[in-house]
Each structure stands twice: as C-alpha cells, then as structure tokens.
Amino acid sequence: NAGVMQNPRHLVRRRGQEARLRCSPMKGHSHVYWYRQLPEEGLKFMVYLQKENIIDESGMPKERFSAEFPKEGPSILRIQQVVRGDSAAYFCASSQPGYQETQYFGPGTRLLVL
Amino acid sequence: GENVEQHPSTLSVQEGDSAVIKCTYSDSASNYFPWYKQELGKRPQLIIDIRSNVGEKKDQRIAVTLNKTAKHFSLHITETQPEDSAVYFCAATNFGNEKLTFGTGTRLTIIP
C-alpha cells in the first residue's frame, strides 16, 4: 500500500519561472492538504482540497500560488513567477473521508529558487 | 485562529533516560492533537495522536497526555534510543476544520 507520493523530490527554478508540484494521495484518501516548511521552521498550512473542490485556502498567498485536485490525476500546487522567498520544502498530506484530521505526509518537494 | 506553542526548542538526553516535550494551544475548540517525528530530509511521520475525550494515550515507549482545562498536551518518550533523535512537532485542530496548526518543533538528541 503506497503512501503519499510527491514529485519531483527536488526542483530548481530561476526567479520568474513557474514551479509545479504534484501530489498523489494514499489509496482510499480523497482529501489533500499542502503545507510549506521553511528551513528550521514548522509546517504552515496552505490549502485543503477534495476532488474538484478547494475547501480552505486560507493559508495560500493571494498572488502567484494556486492549487487544484482534478477528478483524475494528482493534486498540483502551482507557483508562478517564483521568487527566492519561495524556496522551501512543500509537503502534501492526505486523509480519508470521516478521518480528515488524521493526515499522512508525503516525502515533500524541496524547491530552490536561484 | 489557533496558535500552538512548543517547548523546548532543543532537548538532549542520555540514552535510556526519558524525554518530555510540551505544547500549549489557544483555541478551546481544538479536539485533536497529533505528534509528528521528522528525521533530517524526511517526511513528518505521525507517531501518536490523542482526541479530547481522553486524557492519556500510550503506545509502547511513547505516551501523550492532554489537559483540556489548561490547554496543554505533552509527549513522553521513555527508555530513549539513538533512533529517537529527530525533530518532533505537535499540532492541533478540531473536527470540521481539519487544517493542522503546528508547533515550532523540538530537536531531540539522544546522547549514547
């Protein structure tokens, strides 16, 4: 039973480029969460999605960031026109219906903006 | 919104001794409190959790206690081993909210 999958594991972008981060939840999980972790800091909530719906995006920056979880395929976190301050580890977590609070994390994508 | 504070930020204990990490939360509506262990460069791993209808939960060498009145909860690791060295994060949420609010982490080092 594969856990939460994320790719790529490492991503290098130059300022102004776009970054696309992908997350496939655990089998049977239909709830996806994205968190950001800056070096030596805790995890900060960004967005909570179910299939084809954004449930809570209160932690998402208003500009340049967007997320989706289509009916088919992985959830995608998109960062447009990246800046150096976007460099961080981005973790995806998933949970199953009825147990939304119990979240299991993927290995993360480490984004480095040059 | 919820605010979670975690102490200490670093903790060193001799192998075999116990380690205790404490967290406080601000939102009295919070009713679910997980603990995650994160090794360097790895994913946060859920190690134990507690719901507000119980005061204590134990799983082998790990236990968590919850004091709802004081709004704090603690992680206890007994008979510590070198593989317990990691960063530990507490978190809080409430059913229907789902987003986890994390503490700032405790770097635990087990001294052989």
Side-chain angles (χ1 to χ4, degrees), chain A residues 32-68:
Chain A
V32 166
Y33 313 80
W34 287 92
Y35 293 83
R36 178 164 63 178
Q37 185 176 37
L38 294 171
E40 302 297 320
E41 292 189 13
L43 295 100
K44 303 291 187 185
F45 169 81
M46 299 181 73
V47 62
Y48 162 36
L49 310 102
Q50 296 178 22
K51 287 283 187 181
E52 299 184 284
N53 278 305
I54 297 175
I55 307 302
D56 182 351
E57 56 182 347
S58 59
M60 193 97 96
K62 293 289 186 288
E63 298 179 350
R64 302 187 299 107
F65 286 73
S66 63
E68 62 177 7

mmCIF file of all heavy atoms in Angstrom, chain A residues 32-68:
data_model
loop_
_atom_site.group_PDB
_atom_site.id
_atom_site.type_symbol
_atom_site.label_atom_id
_atom_site.label_comp_id
_atom_site.label_asym_id
_atom_site.label_seq_id
_atom_site.Cartn_x
_atom_site.Cartn_y
_atom_site.Cartn_z
ATOM 1 N N VAL A 32 -6.771 16.197 0.390
ATOM 2 C CA VAL A 32 -5.367 16.558 0.210
ATOM 3 C C VAL A 32 -5.096 17.922 0.836
ATOM 4 O O VAL A 32 -5.916 18.837 0.728
ATOM 5 C CB VAL A 32 -5.004 16.590 -1.299
ATOM 6 C CG1 VAL A 32 -3.673 17.275 -1.531
ATOM 7 C CG2 VAL A 32 -4.958 15.178 -1.864
ATOM 8 N N TYR A 33 -3.950 18.014 1.479
ATOM 9 C CA TYR A 33 -3.531 19.254 2.140
ATOM 10 C C TYR A 33 -2.110 19.584 1.685
ATOM 11 O O TYR A 33 -1.291 18.677 1.514
ATOM 12 C CB TYR A 33 -3.523 19.087 3.670
ATOM 13 C CG TYR A 33 -4.757 18.437 4.218
ATOM 14 C CD1 TYR A 33 -4.914 17.057 4.159
ATOM 15 C CD2 TYR A 33 -5.773 19.191 4.795
ATOM 16 C CE1 TYR A 33 -6.055 16.440 4.647
ATOM 17 C CE2 TYR A 33 -6.919 18.583 5.295
ATOM 18 C CZ TYR A 33 -7.053 17.212 5.206
ATOM 19 O OH TYR A 33 -8.190 16.605 5.686
ATOM 20 N N TRP A 34 -1.849 20.865 1.529
ATOM 21 C CA TRP A 34 -0.491 21.308 1.230
ATOM 22 C C TRP A 34 0.013 22.165 2.389
ATOM 23 O O TRP A 34 -0.695 23.052 2.895
ATOM 24 C CB TRP A 34 -0.445 22.120 -0.056
ATOM 25 C CG TRP A 34 -0.608 21.301 -1.307
ATOM 26 C CD1 TRP A 34 -1.772 21.017 -1.965
ATOM 27 C CD2 TRP A 34 0.432 20.667 -2.063
ATOM 28 N NE1 TRP A 34 -1.523 20.248 -3.075
ATOM 29 C CE2 TRP A 34 -0.175 20.018 -3.159
ATOM 30 C CE3 TRP A 34 1.819 20.583 -1.930
ATOM 31 C CZ2 TRP A 34 0.556 19.300 -4.111
ATOM 32 C CZ3 TRP A 34 2.537 19.872 -2.869
ATOM 33 C CH2 TRP A 34 1.910 19.248 -3.949
ATOM 34 N N TYR A 35 1.270 21.890 2.781
ATOM 35 C CA TYR A 35 1.937 22.651 3.835
ATOM 36 C C TYR A 35 3.300 23.107 3.315
ATOM 37 O O TYR A 35 3.923 22.435 2.498
ATOM 38 C CB TYR A 35 2.146 21.788 5.086
ATOM 39 C CG TYR A 35 0.883 21.380 5.807
ATOM 40 C CD1 TYR A 35 0.141 20.275 5.398
ATOM 41 C CD2 TYR A 35 0.431 22.094 6.909
ATOM 42 C CE1 TYR A 35 -1.013 19.897 6.061
ATOM 43 C CE2 TYR A 35 -0.723 21.726 7.592
ATOM 44 C CZ TYR A 35 -1.433 20.627 7.155
ATOM 45 O OH TYR A 35 -2.579 20.259 7.822
ATOM 46 N N ARG A 36 3.759 24.215 3.840
ATOM 47 C CA ARG A 36 5.087 24.723 3.484
ATOM 48 C C ARG A 36 5.963 24.733 4.727
ATOM 49 O O ARG A 36 5.491 25.120 5.813
ATOM 50 C CB ARG A 36 4.986 26.132 2.884
ATOM 51 C CG ARG A 36 6.334 26.748 2.544
ATOM 52 C CD ARG A 36 6.212 27.929 1.618
ATOM 53 N NE ARG A 36 5.465 29.037 2.177
ATOM 54 C CZ ARG A 36 5.271 30.195 1.534
ATOM 55 N NH1 ARG A 36 5.786 30.373 0.323
ATOM 56 N NH2 ARG A 36 4.581 31.157 2.096
ATOM 57 N N GLN A 37 7.207 24.341 4.565
ATOM 58 C CA GLN A 37 8.154 24.327 5.677
ATOM 59 C C GLN A 37 9.407 25.084 5.261
ATOM 60 O O GLN A 37 10.138 24.639 4.377
ATOM 61 C CB GLN A 37 8.500 22.892 6.092
ATOM 62 C CG GLN A 37 9.390 22.827 7.325
ATOM 63 C CD GLN A 37 9.644 21.402 7.780
ATOM 64 O OE1 GLN A 37 9.791 20.495 6.960
ATOM 65 N NE2 GLN A 37 9.685 21.192 9.092
ATOM 66 N N LEU A 38 9.612 26.200 5.914
ATOM 67 C CA LEU A 38 10.838 26.953 5.701
ATOM 68 C C LEU A 38 11.949 26.313 6.526
ATOM 69 O O LEU A 38 11.673 25.625 7.522
ATOM 70 C CB LEU A 38 10.631 28.415 6.099
ATOM 71 C CG LEU A 38 9.637 29.183 5.221
ATOM 72 C CD1 LEU A 38 9.337 30.539 5.810
ATOM 73 C CD2 LEU A 38 10.163 29.316 3.798
ATOM 74 N N PRO A 39 13.216 26.518 6.155
ATOM 75 C CA PRO A 39 14.326 25.905 6.893
ATOM 76 C C PRO A 39 14.247 26.207 8.383
ATOM 77 O O PRO A 39 14.027 27.344 8.783
ATOM 78 C CB PRO A 39 15.561 26.533 6.245
ATOM 79 C CG PRO A 39 15.132 26.877 4.861
ATOM 80 C CD PRO A 39 13.679 27.285 4.990
ATOM 81 N N GLU A 40 14.420 25.166 9.182
ATOM 82 C CA GLU A 40 14.443 25.280 10.644
ATOM 83 C C GLU A 40 13.126 25.805 11.219
ATOM 84 O O GLU A 40 13.103 26.347 12.327
ATOM 85 C CB GLU A 40 15.594 26.203 11.094
ATOM 86 C CG GLU A 40 16.975 25.748 10.621
ATOM 87 C CD GLU A 40 17.371 24.407 11.182
ATOM 88 O OE1 GLU A 40 17.094 24.164 12.381
ATOM 89 O OE2 GLU A 40 17.952 23.581 10.449
ATOM 90 N N GLU A 41 12.035 25.627 10.493
ATOM 91 C CA GLU A 41 10.736 26.085 11.000
ATOM 92 C C GLU A 41 9.710 24.957 10.933
ATOM 93 O O GLU A 41 9.958 23.894 10.361
ATOM 94 C CB GLU A 41 10.241 27.293 10.204
ATOM 95 C CG GLU A 41 11.074 28.546 10.412
ATOM 96 C CD GLU A 41 10.418 29.761 9.788
ATOM 97 O OE1 GLU A 41 9.231 29.698 9.422
ATOM 98 O OE2 GLU A 41 11.108 30.788 9.673
ATOM 99 N N GLY A 42 8.568 25.218 11.522
ATOM 100 C CA GLY A 42 7.479 24.247 11.474
ATOM 101 C C GLY A 42 6.735 24.312 10.167
ATOM 102 O O GLY A 42 7.058 25.082 9.269
ATOM 103 N N LEU A 43 5.725 23.482 10.066
ATOM 104 C CA LEU A 43 4.913 23.417 8.855
ATOM 105 C C LEU A 43 3.756 24.401 8.947
ATOM 106 O O LEU A 43 3.088 24.501 9.980
ATOM 107 C CB LEU A 43 4.372 22.001 8.654
ATOM 108 C CG LEU A 43 5.436 20.939 8.398
ATOM 109 C CD1 LEU A 43 5.734 20.154 9.653
ATOM 110 C CD2 LEU A 43 4.981 20.008 7.284
ATOM 111 N N LYS A 44 3.516 25.093 7.837
ATOM 112 C CA LYS A 44 2.433 26.065 7.771
ATOM 113 C C LYS A 44 1.397 25.602 6.743
ATOM 114 O O LYS A 44 1.738 25.323 5.597
ATOM 115 C CB LYS A 44 2.956 27.447 7.353
ATOM 116 C CG LYS A 44 4.042 27.999 8.264
ATOM 117 C CD LYS A 44 3.520 28.364 9.628
ATOM 118 C CE LYS A 44 4.602 29.058 10.442
ATOM 119 N NZ LYS A 44 4.168 29.317 11.834
ATOM 120 N N PHE A 45 0.157 25.566 7.175
ATOM 121 C CA PHE A 45 -0.936 25.162 6.297
ATOM 122 C C PHE A 45 -1.093 26.140 5.134
ATOM 123 O O PHE A 45 -0.997 27.364 5.312
ATOM 124 C CB PHE A 45 -2.237 25.109 7.091
ATOM 125 C CG PHE A 45 -3.475 24.963 6.244
ATOM 126 C CD1 PHE A 45 -3.859 23.722 5.765
ATOM 127 C CD2 PHE A 45 -4.248 26.075 5.931
ATOM 128 C CE1 PHE A 45 -5.000 23.586 4.993
ATOM 129 C CE2 PHE A 45 -5.389 25.957 5.158
ATOM 130 C CZ PHE A 45 -5.770 24.703 4.689
ATOM 131 N N MET A 46 -1.316 25.582 3.942
ATOM 132 C CA MET A 46 -1.562 26.420 2.773
ATOM 133 C C MET A 46 -2.988 26.239 2.256
ATOM 134 O O MET A 46 -3.757 27.186 2.180
ATOM 135 C CB MET A 46 -0.572 26.101 1.659
ATOM 136 C CG MET A 46 0.886 26.328 2.020
ATOM 137 S SD MET A 46 1.988 25.956 0.663
ATOM 138 C CE MET A 46 1.666 27.361 -0.414
ATOM 139 N N VAL A 47 -3.349 24.986 1.923
ATOM 140 C CA VAL A 47 -4.630 24.766 1.255
ATOM 141 C C VAL A 47 -5.100 23.346 1.502
ATOM 142 O O VAL A 47 -4.302 22.425 1.690
ATOM 143 C CB VAL A 47 -4.498 25.048 -0.262
ATOM 144 C CG1 VAL A 47 -3.498 24.104 -0.911
ATOM 145 C CG2 VAL A 47 -5.831 25.000 -0.974
ATOM 146 N N TYR A 48 -6.442 23.203 1.503
ATOM 147 C CA TYR A 48 -7.090 21.895 1.711
ATOM 148 C C TYR A 48 -8.040 21.681 0.545
ATOM 149 O O TYR A 48 -8.890 22.532 0.265
ATOM 150 C CB TYR A 48 -7.808 21.901 3.059
ATOM 151 C CG TYR A 48 -8.868 20.837 3.283
ATOM 152 C CD1 TYR A 48 -8.733 19.542 2.782
ATOM 153 C CD2 TYR A 48 -9.984 21.130 4.048
ATOM 154 C CE1 TYR A 48 -9.712 18.584 3.028
ATOM 155 C CE2 TYR A 48 -10.958 20.175 4.306
ATOM 156 C CZ TYR A 48 -10.820 18.910 3.787
ATOM 157 O OH TYR A 48 -11.780 17.956 4.027
ATOM 158 N N LEU A 49 -7.899 20.544 -0.127
ATOM 159 C CA LEU A 49 -8.710 20.257 -1.304
ATOM 160 C C LEU A 49 -9.350 18.879 -1.212
ATOM 161 O O LEU A 49 -8.800 17.961 -0.613
ATOM 162 C CB LEU A 49 -7.858 20.283 -2.583
ATOM 163 C CG LEU A 49 -6.942 21.474 -2.836
ATOM 164 C CD1 LEU A 49 -5.506 21.124 -2.509
ATOM 165 C CD2 LEU A 49 -7.051 21.930 -4.270
ATOM 166 N N GLN A 50 -10.524 18.775 -1.806
ATOM 167 C CA GLN A 50 -11.109 17.491 -2.142
ATOM 168 C C GLN A 50 -11.213 17.452 -3.670
ATOM 169 O O GLN A 50 -10.951 18.455 -4.338
ATOM 170 C CB GLN A 50 -12.474 17.337 -1.476
ATOM 171 C CG GLN A 50 -12.397 17.328 0.043
ATOM 172 C CD GLN A 50 -13.766 17.232 0.698
ATOM 173 O OE1 GLN A 50 -14.744 16.778 0.103
ATOM 174 N NE2 GLN A 50 -13.852 17.672 1.940
ATOM 175 N N LYS A 51 -11.599 16.314 -4.179
ATOM 176 C CA LYS A 51 -11.681 16.188 -5.638
ATOM 177 C C LYS A 51 -12.505 17.336 -6.227
ATOM 178 O O LYS A 51 -13.659 17.540 -5.857
ATOM 179 C CB LYS A 51 -12.318 14.861 -6.003
ATOM 180 C CG LYS A 51 -11.408 13.662 -5.778
ATOM 181 C CD LYS A 51 -10.379 13.522 -6.859
ATOM 182 C CE LYS A 51 -9.595 12.207 -6.706
ATOM 183 N NZ LYS A 51 -8.556 12.067 -7.741
ATOM 184 N N GLU A 52 -11.881 18.098 -7.109
ATOM 185 C CA GLU A 52 -12.518 19.177 -7.866
ATOM 186 C C GLU A 52 -13.001 20.325 -6.986
ATOM 187 O O GLU A 52 -13.754 21.183 -7.457
ATOM 188 C CB GLU A 52 -13.680 18.644 -8.714
ATOM 189 C CG GLU A 52 -13.247 17.603 -9.737
ATOM 190 C CD GLU A 52 -14.384 17.147 -10.631
ATOM 191 O OE1 GLU A 52 -15.221 16.355 -10.149
ATOM 192 O OE2 GLU A 52 -14.438 17.586 -11.789
ATOM 193 N N ASN A 53 -12.580 20.371 -5.733
ATOM 194 C CA ASN A 53 -13.033 21.450 -4.849
ATOM 195 C C ASN A 53 -11.908 21.948 -3.967
ATOM 196 O O ASN A 53 -11.147 21.154 -3.406
ATOM 197 C CB ASN A 53 -14.159 20.953 -3.929
ATOM 198 C CG ASN A 53 -15.507 20.971 -4.621
ATOM 199 O OD1 ASN A 53 -15.941 21.997 -5.143
ATOM 200 N ND2 ASN A 53 -16.160 19.833 -4.632
ATOM 201 N N ILE A 54 -11.810 23.255 -3.840
ATOM 202 C CA ILE A 54 -10.931 23.855 -2.843
ATOM 203 C C ILE A 54 -11.788 24.143 -1.622
ATOM 204 O O ILE A 54 -12.754 24.907 -1.686
ATOM 205 C CB ILE A 54 -10.295 25.154 -3.368
ATOM 206 C CG1 ILE A 54 -9.412 24.864 -4.579
ATOM 207 C CG2 ILE A 54 -9.470 25.827 -2.263
ATOM 208 C CD1 ILE A 54 -8.844 26.108 -5.242
ATOM 209 N N ILE A 55 -11.432 23.491 -0.500
ATOM 210 C CA ILE A 55 -12.247 23.619 0.700
ATOM 211 C C ILE A 55 -11.782 24.797 1.566
ATOM 212 O O ILE A 55 -12.597 25.541 2.101
ATOM 213 C CB ILE A 55 -12.204 22.327 1.535
ATOM 214 C CG1 ILE A 55 -12.569 21.114 0.662
ATOM 215 C CG2 ILE A 55 -13.128 22.439 2.737
ATOM 216 C CD1 ILE A 55 -13.940 21.205 0.012
ATOM 217 N N ASP A 56 -10.481 24.944 1.689
ATOM 218 C CA ASP A 56 -9.928 26.001 2.551
ATOM 219 C C ASP A 56 -8.588 26.420 1.966
ATOM 220 O O ASP A 56 -7.671 25.615 1.900
ATOM 221 C CB ASP A 56 -9.762 25.467 3.979
ATOM 222 C CG ASP A 56 -9.232 26.511 4.965
ATOM 223 O OD1 ASP A 56 -8.820 27.606 4.537
ATOM 224 O OD2 ASP A 56 -9.231 26.213 6.177
ATOM 225 N N GLU A 57 -8.487 27.648 1.538
ATOM 226 C CA GLU A 57 -7.218 28.156 1.001
ATOM 227 C C GLU A 57 -6.731 29.345 1.817
ATOM 228 O O GLU A 57 -6.030 30.221 1.307
ATOM 229 C CB GLU A 57 -7.359 28.524 -0.478
ATOM 230 C CG GLU A 57 -8.443 29.523 -0.775
ATOM 231 C CD GLU A 57 -8.566 29.813 -2.273
ATOM 232 O OE1 GLU A 57 -7.657 29.435 -3.045
ATOM 233 O OE2 GLU A 57 -9.581 30.423 -2.667
ATOM 234 N N SER A 58 -7.095 29.348 3.076
ATOM 235 C CA SER A 58 -6.779 30.498 3.930
ATOM 236 C C SER A 58 -5.284 30.706 4.149
ATOM 237 O O SER A 58 -4.856 31.793 4.511
ATOM 238 C CB SER A 58 -7.486 30.354 5.284
ATOM 239 O OG SER A 58 -7.084 29.155 5.929
ATOM 240 N N GLY A 59 -4.463 29.661 3.940
ATOM 241 C CA GLY A 59 -3.028 29.797 4.140
ATOM 242 C C GLY A 59 -2.257 30.057 2.855
ATOM 243 O O GLY A 59 -1.025 30.149 2.876
ATOM 244 N N MET A 60 -2.950 30.194 1.789
ATOM 245 C CA MET A 60 -2.316 30.355 0.481
ATOM 246 C C MET A 60 -2.085 31.841 0.196
ATOM 247 O O MET A 60 -3.008 32.644 0.344
ATOM 248 C CB MET A 60 -3.225 29.783 -0.596
ATOM 249 C CG MET A 60 -2.518 29.629 -1.907
ATOM 250 S SD MET A 60 -1.926 27.982 -2.118
ATOM 251 C CE MET A 60 -3.293 27.386 -3.065
ATOM 252 N N PRO A 61 -0.887 32.218 -0.233
ATOM 253 C CA PRO A 61 -0.690 33.609 -0.664
ATOM 254 C C PRO A 61 -1.672 33.953 -1.770
ATOM 255 O O PRO A 61 -2.006 33.122 -2.611
ATOM 256 C CB PRO A 61 0.757 33.614 -1.172
ATOM 257 C CG PRO A 61 1.416 32.485 -0.447
ATOM 258 C CD PRO A 61 0.364 31.435 -0.302
ATOM 259 N N LYS A 62 -2.146 35.189 -1.774
ATOM 260 C CA LYS A 62 -3.205 35.583 -2.702
ATOM 261 C C LYS A 62 -2.719 35.625 -4.137
ATOM 262 O O LYS A 62 -3.499 35.419 -5.079
ATOM 263 C CB LYS A 62 -3.756 36.955 -2.298
ATOM 264 C CG LYS A 62 -4.490 36.956 -0.977
ATOM 265 C CD LYS A 62 -5.808 36.235 -1.088
ATOM 266 C CE LYS A 62 -6.655 36.321 0.163
ATOM 267 N NZ LYS A 62 -6.129 35.502 1.269
ATOM 268 N N GLU A 63 -1.459 35.885 -4.333
ATOM 269 C CA GLU A 63 -0.929 36.011 -5.687
ATOM 270 C C GLU A 63 0.083 34.913 -5.957
ATOM 271 O O GLU A 63 0.759 34.424 -5.063
ATOM 272 C CB GLU A 63 -0.273 37.387 -5.868
ATOM 273 C CG GLU A 63 -1.253 38.544 -5.704
ATOM 274 C CD GLU A 63 -0.594 39.898 -5.872
ATOM 275 O OE1 GLU A 63 0.644 39.951 -5.935
ATOM 276 O OE2 GLU A 63 -1.329 40.906 -5.926
ATOM 277 N N ARG A 64 0.172 34.508 -7.188
ATOM 278 C CA ARG A 64 1.166 33.592 -7.745
ATOM 279 C C ARG A 64 0.951 32.129 -7.373
ATOM 280 O O ARG A 64 1.490 31.254 -8.023
ATOM 281 C CB ARG A 64 2.593 34.008 -7.364
ATOM 282 C CG ARG A 64 2.978 35.412 -7.805
ATOM 283 C CD ARG A 64 4.464 35.684 -7.553
ATOM 284 N NE ARG A 64 4.833 35.597 -6.157
ATOM 285 C CZ ARG A 64 5.544 34.600 -5.622
ATOM 286 N NH1 ARG A 64 5.959 33.596 -6.382
ATOM 287 N NH2 ARG A 64 5.859 34.600 -4.342
ATOM 288 N N PHE A 65 0.216 31.841 -6.327
ATOM 289 C CA PHE A 65 0.011 30.468 -5.873
ATOM 290 C C PHE A 65 -1.394 29.987 -6.242
ATOM 291 O O PHE A 65 -2.371 30.720 -6.060
ATOM 292 C CB PHE A 65 0.194 30.361 -4.360
ATOM 293 C CG PHE A 65 1.612 30.428 -3.881
ATOM 294 C CD1 PHE A 65 2.302 31.634 -3.903
ATOM 295 C CD2 PHE A 65 2.261 29.298 -3.406
ATOM 296 C CE1 PHE A 65 3.617 31.705 -3.463
ATOM 297 C CE2 PHE A 65 3.571 29.359 -2.956
ATOM 298 C CZ PHE A 65 4.251 30.567 -2.984
ATOM 299 N N SER A 66 -1.480 28.754 -6.703
ATOM 300 C CA SER A 66 -2.777 28.149 -6.961
ATOM 301 C C SER A 66 -2.663 26.651 -6.755
ATOM 302 O O SER A 66 -1.561 26.087 -6.805
ATOM 303 C CB SER A 66 -3.265 28.461 -8.379
ATOM 304 O OG SER A 66 -2.382 27.903 -9.342
ATOM 305 N N ALA A 67 -3.793 26.021 -6.503
ATOM 306 C CA ALA A 67 -3.807 24.578 -6.275
ATOM 307 C C ALA A 67 -5.058 23.995 -6.895
ATOM 308 O O ALA A 67 -6.092 24.659 -6.989
ATOM 309 C CB ALA A 67 -3.749 24.261 -4.777
ATOM 310 N N GLU A 68 -4.927 22.736 -7.291
ATOM 311 C CA GLU A 68 -6.078 22.036 -7.840
ATOM 312 C C GLU A 68 -5.965 20.552 -7.507
ATOM 313 O O GLU A 68 -4.875 20.035 -7.256
ATOM 314 C CB GLU A 68 -6.169 22.229 -9.344
ATOM 315 C CG GLU A 68 -5.000 21.681 -10.132
ATOM 316 C CD GLU A 68 -5.182 21.838 -11.638
ATOM 317 O OE1 GLU A 68 -6.136 22.487 -12.079
ATOM 318 O OE2 GLU A 68 -4.344 21.280 -12.375
#
